Amino acid sequence: DASTAENPWRSRIATLLGAHAVGTMHSVSVLAMAPVIRPDLGLNFTEFGLLMSAYSAGQVSGSIPAGAFVDRVGVGWALVGASIILSLGAALLTQAEGLTLALIALLVIGWGYSITNPATARGVLEWFPPNRRATAIGLKQTGVPVGGVLAAGTLVLTAFSSWRTIIWLIVAATLCNPLICSRL
C-alpha cells in the first residue's frame, strides 16, 4: 500500500511492535507458568532454570545467522520465518514430558526470537527518517514489555486451562503474525 510506505507510522510500526510482543510471550509465559510447568514436567528448580539458559543460548547462537537471514530475505519474510520458528519451538514444548525436549524447545524458541531483533531494527532503518529512528526503535521495543505483560497473565489462565493449551493459544497468535508481516 503506497500510503503505508509513505508513512510507516500508520501500520509498519504496529507490525514491528507486534512482532516483539508475540516473540516475548513465548519465553515469559514459560517463566510465568513455572509453578505449573515445573512439576508437570518433573523438573527440579535447577533443571527449570536450564530452560531459560537454553532460550538464551538459542538467541546467542542464532543472532549472527539471523542477521544474515534478514539481509538476504528482507524484513517481512524474516519476521514470517521468526514466527514459524517460534511456533515450532512452542509446539515442541507442548509435547515435552521431561527436560530434554523442553530444552530443545526453548533453544528453538530462542532461535526464532533471535530473528526478531535484526528484522525489526532493519525495518526501522529502511522505513524511518534518520531524525525519527530512535523514536521508532523506542516505540517498537515497547512490544517487549507489552508481550511480557500479556504473558504474565498466563498463570491466571492455568486455573481454567492446561499450560499446554495456553501455549497452543500463543502459537495461534504467533501464526497470525506471518499474515501481517508477509505484506511488508
Side-chain angles (χ1 to χ4, degrees), residues 21-22 25 28-29 32 143-155 157 166 170:
V22 296
M25 286 183 66
V28 177
S29 291
V144 175
V146 165
V149 167
L150 293 171
T154 57
L155 182 59
L157 296 176
I166 295 164
I170 293 169

Side-chain angles (χ1 to χ4, degrees), residues 22 26 69 77-91 108-109 111-113 115 171 174-179:
V22 296
H26 292 264
F69 178 64
W77 289 112
L79 290 174
V80 168
S83 295
I84 291 168
I85 295 168
L86 282 162
S87 296
L88 288 172
V108 172
I109 290 169
W111 286 336
Y113 193 74
I115 300 169
V171 168
T174 305
L175 289 176
C176 290
N177 224 27
L179 301 173

Side-chain angles (χ1 to χ4, degrees), residues 48-179:
F48 188 84
L50 287 174
L51 296 181
M52 289 303 108
S53 296
Y55 171 75
S56 295
Q59 283 193 313
V60 167
S61 64
S63 289
I64 293 171
F69 178 64
V70 173
D71 285 338
R72 173 173 236 141
V73 303
V75 175
W77 289 112
L79 290 174
V80 168
S83 295
I84 291 168
I85 295 168
L86 282 162
S87 296
L88 288 172
L92 275 176
L93 182 60
T94 67
Q95 303 307 302
E97 296 294 333
L99 181 62
T100 303
L101 189 56
L103 284 172
I104 293 167
L106 268 293
L107 179 74
V108 172
I109 290 169
W111 286 336
Y113 193 74
S114 73
I115 300 169
T116 303
N117 286 322
T120 58
R122 182 165 178 160
V124 168
L125 291 172
E126 289 180 358
W127 302 326
F128 294 87
N131 66 333
R132 296 289 183 244
R133 286 182 184 153
T135 302
I137 286 174
L139 188 53
K140 75 150 179 100
Q141 285 298 127
T142 63
V144 175
V146 165
V149 167
L150 293 171
T154 57
L155 182 59
V156 173
L157 296 176
T158 63
F160 307 101
S161 188
S162 76
W163 70 266
R164 294 171 198 272
T165 300
I166 295 164
I167 295 291
W168 278 114
L169 292 172
I170 293 169
V171 168
T174 305
L175 289 176
C176 290
N177 224 27
L179 301 173

